[in-house]
Amino acid sequence: MQGYLENFIHTILIPGISKIFIAAVVLIVGIIAIRWGIKKIKLLVYKSKMDASLKPFLVSLIDALLKVFLAVTVVSILGVETSSFVAVLASAGLAVGLALQGSLSNIAGGVLILTTKPFAVGDYIEVSGQSGTVQAIKIFQTEIVTPDNKVIFIPNGSLANSVIVNYSKKPTRRVDMKFGVSYEANSCEVIEVIKDVINKQPLVLKEPEPLVRMAEHGDNAVIYIARVWVNSKDYWEVYYNIIEEIKKRFDENNISIPYPQIDVHLKNK
């Protein structure tokens, strides 16, 4: 019994305690080193010219990978076969992945959005019938703020697979407007009035040149179109300024804007 006890102490107990001690030291030192390293990485990443939406995601990804590496190292020090541990981890990961398919698709969508960059924070977009300014791109969802200050949360999975209209991607936009005018009005005078209003707008770009033409003979009115180019940020200001000024100038020049009407003919028997 004494021989078995001595053998147990020297071959199992002492090596086991030493492995646990070494593993604990490696774990503590590793956690401290990872925290210090992440702080340095965060400083470098946030000082770089990288896209602002990608920075927090990249830091969190590096942090997770370092912690997984530390866990595998500690387990291998304790004597557990790394290959078996990785197999168990992969199996657990598969089970969790099947249970969280929706969440994983949102993560994949977030990665896709951050890498392909169909839009960035601050852009005005339209997607799935919703439109607003992008406030934040997170791992699971993207937040947009509507013009009336409502916050909409869109899952990244569906967002990555949807048709996205980005109104801020290009520096300039075209403002398209239509004006219905009475058939009795002189077409040359109408076109001149519209051109004069447009030319007096300081925010309208000179190139490409504004276009004003007769476009359609409607049921109740002649339709004129006006197409002007502006900086994207000036779109709505120019649109409303022209609409308001056109109404004033039409009134001053006795150019009527007709409304839908029906002529009824009574037939006597």
Side-chain angles (χ1 to χ4, degrees), residues 172-173 175 197-207 210 228-239 241-242:
T172 59
R173 285 181 64 186
V175 184
V197 170
I198 290 173
N199 291 333
K200 290 181 179 178
Q201 297 296 319
L203 297 178
V204 173
L205 301 177
K206 303 303 179 183
E207 292 293 335
V228 300
W229 287 87
V230 299
N231 292 321
S232 296
K233 61 183 179 64
D234 298 327
Y235 181 91
W236 289 113
E237 184 173 358
V238 170
Y239 178 86
N241 287 346
I242 292 178

Side-chain angles (χ1 to χ4, degrees), residues 123-140:
D123 287 354
Y124 189 88
I125 65 171
E126 180 180 347
V127 58
S128 301
Q130 305 291 341
S131 60
T133 303
V134 179
Q135 185 178 41
I137 304 172
K138 298 183 178 179
I139 298 300
F140 293 102

Side-chain angles (χ1 to χ4, degrees), residues 139-150:
I139 298 300
F140 293 102
Q141 61 197 10
T142 294
E143 299 177 12
I144 65 173
V145 181
T146 62
D148 56 347
N149 211 32
K150 291 185 293 188

Side-chain angles (χ1 to χ4, degrees), residues 62-73:
I62 294 173
D63 184 36
L65 291 175
L66 289 175
K67 287 178 179 177
V68 170
F69 177 75
L70 176 62
V72 173
T73 303

